[in-house]
């Protein structure tokens, strides 16, 4: 990813879409959510992606964002289908929001959840967006800077795992949303998609301490199968009043590392007093009783 895309010499707006790319982008966004309109919106998205390569400057939820729909499935969904993107998760999250809301986004990617919360949570919102990919973290910082949101959004460039140190991030070749922290065996074999990068590894407790958080109103975790490594050590070592009040956890992947798989992790969370209040193909949503 070009460094110039996030420098002072690349102000927001110079990559606004035009021509047929802009036409199909508007078409995709203008269609209502739900069946059968989503079918037509997906067709418009496919046509738009043929025209839009590289960065796209857009406005979403009242913010100016620079997104890369040809690099990330998540960014493409948010750019072209913002009404349909993670609707059940956002419906619950909207119910949970309140002034002074504290949101921790582990595996933030380009920051879709972070900026959505920022735009809907009201006064005093605090967002901590944790992303290990250096390119994505720089994109996050750029979008935070151009919106003057540095006092409300803290970007942490690190992977979150069971123990601090250094790790190898596996970079997916076609979708940055599939980047993941390598296990020891993968590091030894040098397995990679489009490459690897060494990253800082911290624990969730480190994130909370560095950001000086006194509570977590909602924790979102999407780390491609390593969710247990984020959640279990924190809850095991922290007093109950420091636990997240709500959770949005990806439960779609098989076991990553040595921890439990998604079914075991869900049972472990429920056994700690959380109630499953929503479930989608990808995520489980929980509230602390």
């Amino acid at each position: 990813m070009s460094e110039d895309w996030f420098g002072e010499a690349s102000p927001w707006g110079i990559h606004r879409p035009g021509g047929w790319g802009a036409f199909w982008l508007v078409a995709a966004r203008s269609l209502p959510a739900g069946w059968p309109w989503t079918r037509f919106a997906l067709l418009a998205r496919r046509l738009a992606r043929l025209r839009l390569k590289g960065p796209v400057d857009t406005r979403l939820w009242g913010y100016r964002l620079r997104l890369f729909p040809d690099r990330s499935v998540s960014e493409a969904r948010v750019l072209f289908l913002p009404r349909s993107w993670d609707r059940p998760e956002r419906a619950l999250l909207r119910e949970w929001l309140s002034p002074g809301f504290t949101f921790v986004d582990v595996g933030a990617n380009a920051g879709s959840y972070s900026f959505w919360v920022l735009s809907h949570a009201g006064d005093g919102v605090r967002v901590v967006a944790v992303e290990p990919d250096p390119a994505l973290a720089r994109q996050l910082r750029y979008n935070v800077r151009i919106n003057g949101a540095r006092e409300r959004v803290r970007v942490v460039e690190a992977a979150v795992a069971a123990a601090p140190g250094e790790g190898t991030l596996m970079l997916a070749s076609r979708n940055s949303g599939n980047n993941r922290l390598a296990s020891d065996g993968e590091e030894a074999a040098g397995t990679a998609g489009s490459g690897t990068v060494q990253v800082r590894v911290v624990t969730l407790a480190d994130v909370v301490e560095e950001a000086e958080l006194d509570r977590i109103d909602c924790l979102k975790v999407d780390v491609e199968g390593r969710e247990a490594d984020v959640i279990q050590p924190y809850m095991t070592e922290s007093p109950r009043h420091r636990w997240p009040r709500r959770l949005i956890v990806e439960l779609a992947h098989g076991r990553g590392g040595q921890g439990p798989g998604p079914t075991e992790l869900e049972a472990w969370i429920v056994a700690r007093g959380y109630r499953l209040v929503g479930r989608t193909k990808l995520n489980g949503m929980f509230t602390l009783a």
Side-chain angles (χ1 to χ4, degrees):
M1 186 176 294
S2 171
E3 293 293 313
D4 293 335
W5 285 334
F6 305 124
E8 297 289 346
S10 185
W12 183 90
I14 65 173
H15 294 294
R16 279 182 292 220
W20 282 107
F23 174 83
W24 290 116
L25 172 58
V26 172
R29 283 189 176 182
S30 63
L31 292 167
W35 181 266
W37 304 109
T38 301
R39 295 281 307 262
F40 296 104
L42 289 171
L43 175 60
R45 181 182 73 172
R46 188 176 302 116
L47 293 169
R49 291 186 76 175
L50 294 175
R51 302 279 181 172
L52 300 177
K53 304 296 182 182
V56 175
D57 291 344
T58 188
R59 289 186 182 271
L60 273 175
W61 314 308
Y63 288 96
R64 298 176 295 173
L65 300 178
R66 177 162 292 173
L67 301 174
F68 292 77
D70 57 345
R71 178 203 64 187
S72 167
V73 171
S74 174
E75 291 179 68
R77 290 176 62 205
V78 170
L79 177 64
F80 298 114
L81 306 172
R83 295 183 185 180
S84 300
W85 162 72
D86 284 10
R87 289 176 66 196
E89 290 89 341
R90 288 186 294 119
L92 269 176
L93 195 46
R94 186 185 288 273
E95 293 179 10
W96 296 340
L97 296 178
S98 61
F101 195 78
T102 300
F103 181 66
V104 178
D105 190 356
V106 177
N109 198 265
S112 302
Y113 269 91
S114 293
F115 278 99
W116 188 88
V117 168
L118 189 66
S119 68
H120 289 79
D123 296 335
V125 60
R126 294 190 67 187
V127 175
V128 181
V130 188
E131 174 53 49
D133 185 334
L136 284 168
R138 191 153 191 254
Q139 179 183 350
L140 265 169
R141 288 192 292 265
Y142 174 87
N143 285 332
V144 169
R145 175 174 59 81
I146 63 175
N147 286 288
R150 285 172 171 164
E151 292 186 0
R152 292 173 292 163
V153 182
R154 179 187 183 95
V155 178
V156 178
E157 186 177 330
V160 180
E166 191 173 87
T168 300
L169 187 70
M170 317 282 286
L171 301 175
S173 58
R174 293 174 179 243
N175 177 17
S176 63
N178 290 335
N179 294 349
R180 61 188 175 85
L181 197 63
S183 65
D184 293 339
E186 288 174 318
E187 290 180 38
T191 307
S194 63
T196 61
V197 62
Q198 294 300 113
V199 297
R200 180 170 74 109
V201 179
V202 299
T203 66
L204 181 56
D206 293 332
V207 173
V208 170
E209 182 179 357
E210 290 178 10
E212 299 180 346
L213 301 180
D214 57 3
R215 72 179 192 276
I216 302 176
D217 290 310
C218 182
L219 169 68
K220 185 219 113 189
V221 186
D222 179 357
V223 290
E224 301 303 296
R226 305 292 290 270
E227 287 76 17
D229 291 341
V230 176
I231 296 169
Q232 289 184 326
Y234 180 78
M235 290 189 187
T236 300
E237 298 169 7
S238 300
R240 186 182 177 89
H241 71 271
R242 301 296 298 271
W243 292 5
R245 298 177 182 179
R246 293 99 175 177
L247 295 169
I248 300 176
V249 183
E250 186 174 48
L251 297 172
H253 293 279
R255 182 169 61 187
Q258 304 302 313
T263 301
E264 292 82 8
L265 177 59
E266 179 180 332
W268 190 92
I269 292 171
V270 170
R272 265 89 197 142
Y274 284 86
R275 181 166 61 95
L276 181 69
V277 294
R279 185 69 183 266
T280 66
K281 184 178 179 180
L282 293 177
N283 299 311
M285 290 81 83
F286 305 83
T287 60
L288 183 61

